């Protein structure tokens, strides 16, 4: 990873800079638990700018193909990433003192501005936030077919039976 992967975020936004790059998926350590395998890479673009209220922002675009693990059959599930998001840069004092107004708290995603913002970590955060909680193949594609996983009902029945037995004793 080049030295450019670390940016002075406020300066980057004020001067409207753009950073493009790619990240290898094996390098995204916090993503590994969700992945079936680590082939491929992720392309990203970060654009600095100001929003309509002249607040510093970073516009993020992320694209790539991940191989997630299907939660039904545990096989590889192609997951095309196509993210576009804008994050507001706030100062540490704003964030710490609860000085964000309501709109900033609820509607915008924000991060604390840093003179040494690690872009790969920011991109990884965005990817993690975007992933489905329990990815599954569609019907007819999944190796396990459309049959519902039998585990939960069986456990529930077993528990119901054992509590019945307990009640009898
Ligand atoms: Zn599957």
């Amino acid at each position: 990873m080049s030295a450019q992967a670390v940016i002075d975020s406020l300066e980057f936004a004020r001067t409207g800079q753009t950073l493009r790059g790619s990240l290898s998926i094996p390098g995204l350590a916090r993503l590994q638990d969700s992945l079936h395998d680590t082939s491929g890479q992720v392309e990203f673009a970060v654009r600095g700018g100001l929003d309509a209220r002249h607040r510093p922002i970073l516009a993020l675009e992320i694209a790539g193909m991940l191989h997630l693990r299907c939660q039904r059959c545990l096989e590889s599930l192609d997951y095309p990433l196509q993210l576009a998001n804008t994050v507001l840069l706030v100062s540490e004092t704003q964030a710490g003192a609860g000085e964000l107004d309501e709109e900033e708290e609820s509607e915008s995603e924000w991060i604390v501005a840093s003179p040494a913002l690690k872009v790969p970590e920011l991109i990884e955060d965005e990817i993690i936030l975007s992933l489905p909680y329990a990815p599954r193949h569609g019907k007819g594609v999944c190796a396990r077919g459309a049959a519902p996983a039998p585990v939960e009902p069986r456990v529930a029945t077993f528990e119901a039976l054992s509590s019945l037995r307990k009640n009898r004793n």
Side-chain angles (χ1 to χ4, degrees):
M1 188 51 58
S2 70
Q4 269 192 320
V6 176
I7 60 172
D8 180 338
S9 54
L10 281 179
E11 179 71 11
F12 191 90
R14 285 192 188 116
T15 54
Q17 295 179 55
T18 299
L19 174 66
R20 289 174 184 281
S22 61
L23 298 171
S24 72
I25 291 172
L28 302 173
R30 286 175 294 142
L31 214 59
Q32 304 304 314
D33 284 350
S34 310
L35 300 179
H36 178 266
D37 62 79
T38 57
S39 58
Q41 61 178 15
V42 172
E43 313 284 333
F44 68 85
V46 182
R47 280 186 203 84
L50 301 175
D51 72 2
R53 289 165 62 183
H54 301 283
R55 298 173 302 180
I57 54 168
L58 297 178
L60 309 172
E61 282 177 42
I62 305 169
M65 180 70 83
L66 297 180
H67 297 140
L68 301 183
R69 190 183 288 116
C70 169
Q71 295 303 298
R72 193 182 282 141
C73 69
L74 303 181
E75 294 298 323
S76 179
L77 169 65
D78 285 352
Y79 186 76
L81 269 183
Q82 194 64 255
L83 301 176
N85 203 1
T86 301
V87 294
L88 188 64
L89 296 170
V90 303
S91 70
E92 207 160 345
T93 40
Q94 271 180 311
E99 280 177 17
L100 299 174
D101 65 33
E102 251 174 56
E103 189 231 342
E104 286 167 335
E105 285 277 17
S106 61
E107 288 177 27
S108 312
E109 199 179 317
W110 56 268
I111 59 170
V112 173
S114 162
L117 178 72
K118 292 179 181 131
V119 173
E121 284 186 12
L122 177 62
I123 300 297
E124 190 172 11
D125 286 344
E126 287 297 313
I127 295 172
I128 290 169
L129 287 173
S130 77
L131 291 182
Y133 177 68
R136 285 172 188 186
H137 290 116
K139 279 181 189 173
V141 183
C142 190
R144 285 275 294 271
V151 179
E152 280 181 43
R154 272 187 199 159
V155 169
T157 309
F158 179 76
E159 277 170 0
L161 280 176
S162 65
S163 67
L164 275 178
R165 286 193 196 110
K166 271 178 208 153
N167 288 342
R168 273 184 207 152
N169 291 342

